[in-house]
Every structure is written in structure tokens, then in C-alpha cells.
């Protein structure tokens, strides 16, 4: 097709019909306490990584719930797994395990799609 | 001479009458409907225990029967006049004039008319219900639950604060009970339609009472109810009768599109029109939310600006069954103090 130099803008609307829930489902199945998250942000306030980098565990949780996995990998690498967030959470969510499960789940999803591409 | 005339035969009026009768006073209840129990007649189950509302009603029916309370049904109060001797003359729709030493206003509340939020589509789209409609539907449920168009719902949304905390609706105040009612109803829907995704769209979740926060947590952890922080802006109907909602997910800071088979509007509580007229007719002061103003918020919540006229229950503002019963019991003590001082 001829390129006229125009671009289209992707819709920012969250469409609940099209949410990719593979990762959030995996995390919730293995760490059900994560269901009780209130998005209060105490994990994020105490986070050492978040004080030094753009890492934001509350925002990441929300993005994964909405099926946005593009930047998840690089975001997750910023976490140092110190576990201070786990001590802070008012609902007793094992946030460190949530991060570990996100890493693991993402790896499973990535290797699954790689396998599909290789076939 | 009647000691106490009680306006309203809901649980507030009945509890006040029972307590006063036990203290040895002669009481009369005037109820405008054809039956006692008020709004509780229309409710299926109560938070936070999910017990049937009929259990509470049966309790009061039994207590009323035991004491042989005098109740005038299908009777309106037309006017209340305080006479020079401090006694009250109460004119009713039955051409009966009561003379009494004190009056308890237990006339309760009315629910917000959801048609006033036209953008939410109530009475325009078939699958938009109010929380009260859903209770009736659950109460009369036989067999499988379906939406008004006969679909077994795959996705249901509850909208908090309909007619509450909304100056456009003329109600700036919080109705405080709708949050926990939504959580209760969301759990109920998950129990009877486990295949459905249930969403609650809220501004703040106010789980103020004992057992409420536990219920909210249960809704999240056990029933996987999804809470979206954002207020519904408008609803449109699809060709198949499902509904398209526009709500911002304010935590993600992005607009969202949500398609549901059934929408439940959590309607707030307003002062009853009859209470407003009654207050005007006998010089009772009302607060900015149009409910009757209490004489002292902390230590005189049953007294009003008129000596001898007391309040019991939701005529002073949105109250739960728990709050109403307690407020009604304290009304009996307030009346007792007043009548004892009169002698």
C-alpha cells in the first residue's frame, strides 16, 4: 500500500470483551490473596526499586489485570524481591510471590507463543 | 388520652410501640399502607448475614400480636397541632381526631426514582433494574435466574451512588447502605449465576458497619467480584438487549467499555415526601439533606425542635435495619423521659 505519511491512533479505551487474561488468571490461581487488592498503593510507597526507578507495583498489577503485557517483562526486572511490600500490605497479600508468579507466568506465555511460531 | 401516637408502622414504629407498651404507655400506630413492615416487605435478604428479611418481619408481627398493639392501617396523618396545654391534636384521613401527649415520627424514607438519571436508561432499556427491583426479583424467584429479557446473564454490573452524592440529582449526601447492599447482591448473583462475571462500579466503598468489610473481602476473594473505581456516565442498548456502559477506570486513568446483560442501579434513600409535608405542617426543622433535623446529633438524636415530637428510624437520614431498631429503642426511652417529666 502507498504510504501517504498518515498514521492512525490506537484506541485507549479498555474493552472488556478483548482483555488478555492469561497472566492474571495464572497469578490469581496460584496466589488467591491477590484478589483482595484495594489499589491502596502502600506497596508502591515503601518500594525501594520504585524510589530509584520508574517501577510501580500498583500500576503493574492494574496493567496485568487489564491484559497489558508489552512492558511487563522489563518492569518486572526492576524489582529486587526485597519483600518490604509484603510487610506493608494491609490485606496480607503475598506481593513478592505475586511478582514471582508474574515472572513465571510471563515466561510460560512467551515460551508457548514461541513454540507456536516455531511450528 | 393516648400517651404516644406513632406515625409509621415499619420496623421503627413497631419497635418504638413495643418498647413503649412494655414501659406501660398506651400507644397507637398510624400506617398509610394496608400492611405493617414498610420497606422490609419488599426485601429478599439482609446484609451482612444474608438472612431472609421475612425473619425480621415475622419477629415484629409476633411481638405486635403478643402485645395486641393498636394499629390503624390505610390511614394518613393530615395535621398535627400542638395545643396551649402541650398536648397534641392529630387529624387523620379516617375522620378520627386523636388527642395524645406525644408524637413519634417513624415515617422512614423513600427510594430515589432512578428515572431521574435518564442517562442510565431506567424504564427505557429492559435490562436496567434498581437494587429494589432486584430484591423483588430474587424474592419471587422460581427456578433459574434470568434478566428481564429472559437471558441467563453472563455479565452483570452494579452501579453505586445512583441518586447519592450527586448534586445534579439534588442529593449531595451519602446514602451509606447502598455500598454494602451492592456487595451483598453481587455475592448473591455469583451464588445463583456462578458463570457470570460481576462488576461493581464505585466512587468510594463505604463499608462502615460490623461485618461489612468482611463481606467485601469475601466478594473479592471467594466470589471474584470485580471492583472498578469510576462512576458510570451513560448507557446504550445493543440490538440484542445487552447494554453498553461507559465508565472510566480511574485507577488505570483510561476510559473503558463494558458490555453487560443486566445493569443494577443502587438507588439511594431520600426523605419521604409525606415526611417533608408533615415537617412543614408542624414546624419541624429539616437538615440540608431534607431529612428531619435531630435536636442534638450526639446526645439527642430522637428529639426534634418541637418538644413532644420525637423521631425513630430513617426519618432522620439513611439508616440500616440495625441502626433503625436501635434508634427506635432509644426513641422509647426519650419519650419515657418526656412523659415522666410531664406528670
Amino acid at each position: 500500500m502507498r504510504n501517504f505519511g498518515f498514521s492512525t491512533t490506537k484506541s485507549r479505551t479498555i474493552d472488556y470483551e478483548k482483555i488478555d487474561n492469561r497472566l492474571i488468571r495464572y497469578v490469581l490461581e496460584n496466589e488467591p490473596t491477590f484478589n483482595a487488592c484495594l489499589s491502596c498503593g502502600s506497596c508502591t510507597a515503601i518500594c525501594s526499586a520504585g524510589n530509584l526507578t520508574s517501577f510501580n507495583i500498583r500500576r503493574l498489577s492494574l496493567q496485568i489485570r487489564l491484559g497489558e503485557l508489552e512492558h511487563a517483562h522489563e518492569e518486572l526486572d526492576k524489582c529486587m524481591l526485597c519483600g518490604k511490600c509484603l510487610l506493608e500490605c494491609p490485606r496480607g497479600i503475598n506481593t513478592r510471590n505475586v511478582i514471582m508468579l508474574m515472572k513465571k507466568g510471563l515466561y510460560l506465555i512467551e515460551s508457548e507463543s514461541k513454540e507456536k511460531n516455531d511450528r | 388520652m393516648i400517651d404516644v401516637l406513632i406515625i409509621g408502622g415499619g420496623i421503627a414504629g413497631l419497635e418504638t410501640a413495643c418498647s413503649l407498651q412494655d414501659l406501660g404507655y398506651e400507644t397507637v400506630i398510624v400506617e398509610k399502607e394496608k400492611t405493617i413492615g414498610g420497606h422490609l416487605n419488599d426485601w429478599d435478604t439482609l446484609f451482612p448475614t444474608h438472612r431472609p428479611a421475612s425473619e425480621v418481619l415475622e419477629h415484629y408481627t409476633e411481638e405486635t400480636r403478643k402485645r395486641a398493639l393498636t394499629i390503624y392501617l390505610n390511614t394518613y396523618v393530615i395535621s398535627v397541632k400542638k395545643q396551649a396545654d402541650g398536648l397534641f391534636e392529630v387529624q387523620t384521613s379516617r375522620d378520627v381526631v386523636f388527642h395524645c401527649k406525644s408524637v413519634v415520627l417513624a415515617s422512614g424514607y423513600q427510594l430515589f426514582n432512578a428515572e431521574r438519571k435518564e442517562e442510565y436508561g431506567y424504564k427505557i432499556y429492559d435490562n436496567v433494574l434498581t437494587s429494589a427491583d432486584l430484591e423483588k426479583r430474587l424474592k419471587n424467584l422460581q427456578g433459574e435466574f434470568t434478566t428481564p429479557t429472559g437471558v441467563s446473564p453472563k455479565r452483570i454490573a452494579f452501579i453505586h451512588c445512583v441518586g447519592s452524592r450527586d448534586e445534579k440529582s439534588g442529593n449531595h449526601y451519602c446514602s451509606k447502605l447502598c455500598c454494602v447492599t451492592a456487595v451483598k447482591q453481587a455475592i448473591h448473583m455469583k451464588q445463583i449465576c456462578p458463570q457470570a462475571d460481576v462488576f461493581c462500579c464505585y466512587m468510594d466503598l463505604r463499608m462502615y458497619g460490623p461485618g461489612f468489610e468482611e463481606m467485601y473481602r469475601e466478594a473479592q476473594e471467594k466470589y471474584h467480584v470485580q471492583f472498578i473505581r469510576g462512576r458510570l456516565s451513560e448507557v446504550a442498548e445493543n440490538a440484542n438487549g445487552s447494554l453498553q456502559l461507559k465508565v472510566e477506570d480511574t485507577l488505570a486513568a483510561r476510559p473503558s467499555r463494558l458490555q453487560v446483560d443486566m445493569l443494577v442501579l443502587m438507588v439511594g434513600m431520600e426523605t419521604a415526601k409525606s415526611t417533608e409535608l408533615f415537617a412543614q405542617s408542624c414546624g419541624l426543622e429539616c437538615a440540608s439533606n431534607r431529612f428531619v433535623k435531630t435536636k442534638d446529633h450526639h446526645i439527642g438524636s430522637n428529639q426534634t425542635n418541637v418538644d413532644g415530637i420525637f423521631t425513630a428510624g430513617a426519618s432522620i437520614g439513611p439508616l440500616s435495619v440495625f441502626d433503625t431498631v436501635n434508634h427506635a429503642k432509644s426513641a422509647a426511652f426519650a419519650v419515657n423521659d418526656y412523659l415522666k417529666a410531664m406528670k
Side-chain angles (χ1 to χ4, degrees):
Chain A
M1 215 208 302
R2 254 187 94 181
N3 184 356
F4 291 100
F6 297 112
S7 65
T8 54
T9 311
K10 212 177 134 218
S11 169
R12 289 190 72 250
T13 305
I14 301 163
D15 192 340
Y16 282 88
E17 302 298 312
K18 293 176 189 155
I19 284 180
D20 173 0
N21 62 3
R22 288 176 298 171
L23 185 55
I24 185 67
R25 225 174 46 208
Y26 176 78
V27 176
L28 288 174
E29 267 164 24
N30 293 285
E31 188 54 66
T33 60
F34 192 40
N35 274 305
C37 177
L38 300 167
S39 284
C40 71
S42 33
C43 51
T44 311
I46 199 84
C47 178
S48 302
N51 281 317
L52 301 167
T53 69
S54 60
F55 182 63
N56 182 321
I57 173 167
R58 181 189 59 79
R59 190 175 57 206
L60 184 63
S61 307
L62 210 61
Q63 284 168 341
I64 282 167
R65 279 176 203 276
L66 298 174
E68 290 160 19
L69 312 181
E70 302 97 84
H71 305 293
H73 204 124
E74 53 183 294
E75 283 303 307
L76 283 164
D77 282 345
K78 292 173 187 165
C79 171
M80 300 181 283
L81 297 171
C82 71
K84 278 204 285 182
C85 48
L86 185 155
L87 300 174
E88 195 76 3
C89 178
R91 291 233 151 179
I93 299 168
N94 188 339
T95 43
R96 182 160 55 187
N97 194 32
V98 168
I99 294 277
M100 285 307 288
L101 287 166
M102 284 180 186
K103 281 174 182 273
K104 203 172 156 195
L106 208 56
Y107 172 77
L108 291 173
I109 290 167
E110 280 167 0
S111 48
E112 196 183 300
S113 52
K114 194 164 169 272
E115 223 171 84
K116 248 185 218 162
N117 290 344
D118 288 349
R119 250 185 246 150
Chain B
M1 170 74 63
I2 302 160
D3 292 314
V4 196
L5 183 117
I6 297 159
I7 304 173
I11 51 170
L14 295 174
E15 177 59 54
T16 311
C18 288
S19 300
L20 282 167
Q21 195 99 344
D22 294 348
L23 289 168
Y25 296 107
E26 196 190 321
T27 63
V28 165
I29 297 178
V30 180
E31 166 59 50
K32 67 174 161 49
E33 301 294 333
K34 60 178 188 294
T35 164
I36 56 167
H39 289 277
L40 218 49
N41 286 301
D42 304 326
W43 230 248
D44 182 43
T45 56
L46 302 177
F47 59 75
T49 54
H50 300 279
R51 82 186 295 187
S54 58
E55 276 183 27
V56 176
L57 262 180
E58 278 157 25
H59 165 81
Y60 280 105
T61 313
E62 181 58 21
E63 295 299 306
T64 306
R65 196 191 55 77
K66 266 198 268 179
R67 292 174 180 80
L69 294 182
T70 311
I71 304 173
Y72 286 81
L73 296 172
N74 294 311
T75 309
Y76 280 94
V77 168
I78 291 170
S79 71
V80 174
K81 284 198 190 88
K82 193 172 183 178
Q83 293 162 327
D85 56 3
L87 301 177
F88 292 91
E89 190 188 274
V90 182
Q91 191 105 35
T92 69
S93 58
R94 277 184 181 251
D95 288 337
V96 189
V97 178
F98 293 102
H99 292 276
C100 55
K101 293 180 191 161
S102 62
V103 174
V104 174
L105 182 63
S107 51
Y109 65 94
Q110 67 187 29
L111 288 167
F112 175 76
N113 174 9
E115 283 175 77
R116 278 165 58 196
K117 289 294 279 183
E118 207 178 348
E119 63 272 35
Y120 291 178
Y122 184 61
K123 296 261 173 94
I124 301 172
Y125 307 135
D126 292 337
N127 289 320
V128 181
L129 304 178
T130 65
S131 40
D133 295 336
L134 181 61
E135 287 293 329
K136 276 182 211 148
R137 230 179 151 70
L138 291 170
K139 200 178 166 177
N140 303 321
L141 184 65
Q142 280 168 340
E144 196 204 350
F145 182 89
T146 57
T147 69
T149 53
V151 176
S152 127
K154 298 258 172 350
R155 205 178 272 160
I156 303 164
F158 288 85
I159 306 299
H160 291 235
C161 304
V162 176
S164 300
R165 303 178 75 195
D166 180 12
E167 300 203 353
K168 291 273 162 61
S169 306
N171 297 338
H172 63 273
Y173 56 91
C174 166
S175 282
K176 89 174 187 181
L177 308 165
C178 337
C179 275
V180 59
T181 305
V183 169
K184 185 209 76 172
Q185 293 183 339
I187 290 176
H188 199 148
M189 291 317 298
K190 275 299 247 191
Q191 286 170 338
I192 58 175
C193 307
Q195 80 290 351
D197 286 330
V198 177
F199 293 84
C200 283
C201 302
Y202 68 95
M203 300 204 288
D204 287 305
L205 283 170
R206 298 184 164 179
M207 298 295 151
Y208 72 96
F212 296 5
E213 187 69 24
E214 288 88 333
M215 241 188 143
Y216 168 35
R217 195 177 177 131
E218 195 190 18
Q220 288 182 304
E221 282 193 315
K222 191 169 166 198
Y223 294 101
H224 304 168
V225 174
Q226 298 185 56
F227 291 86
I228 302 177
R229 187 178 175 278
R231 191 181 173 100
L232 176 66
S233 54
E234 65 176 1
V235 183
E237 194 182 42
N238 296 315
N240 65 358
S242 66
L243 303 155
Q244 197 77 39
L245 315 187
K246 281 185 189 168
V247 184
E248 190 203 1
D249 184 329
T250 59
L251 295 174
R254 277 169 54 197
S256 79
R257 189 172 303 191
L258 188 57
Q259 193 181 314
V260 299
D261 300 309
M262 188 174 87
L263 182 67
V264 184
L265 307 176
M266 305 309 299
V267 283
M269 290 159 95
E270 288 181 331
T271 189
K273 191 79 207 154
S274 53
T275 306
E276 239 181 323
L277 293 172
F278 174 83
Q280 270 168 19
S281 76
C282 55
L284 278 188
E285 227 179 287
C286 289
S288 63
N289 61 6
R290 306 188 305 284
F291 285 92
V292 175
K293 196 174 175 184
T294 55
K295 192 172 181 188
D296 185 311
H297 181 79
H298 303 102
I299 50 175
S301 73
N302 296 105
Q303 285 85 343
T304 64
N305 62 315
V306 180
D307 270 351
I309 301 185
F310 298 84
T311 55
S315 51
I316 61 157
L319 295 182
S320 66
V321 171
F322 174 94
D323 299 330
T324 300
V325 168
N326 289 333
H327 195 241
K329 276 189 201 292
S330 76
F333 282 110
V335 173
N336 180 42
D337 289 346
Y338 176 78
L339 292 177
K340 269 206 288 198
M342 227 178 152
K343 278 172 195 165

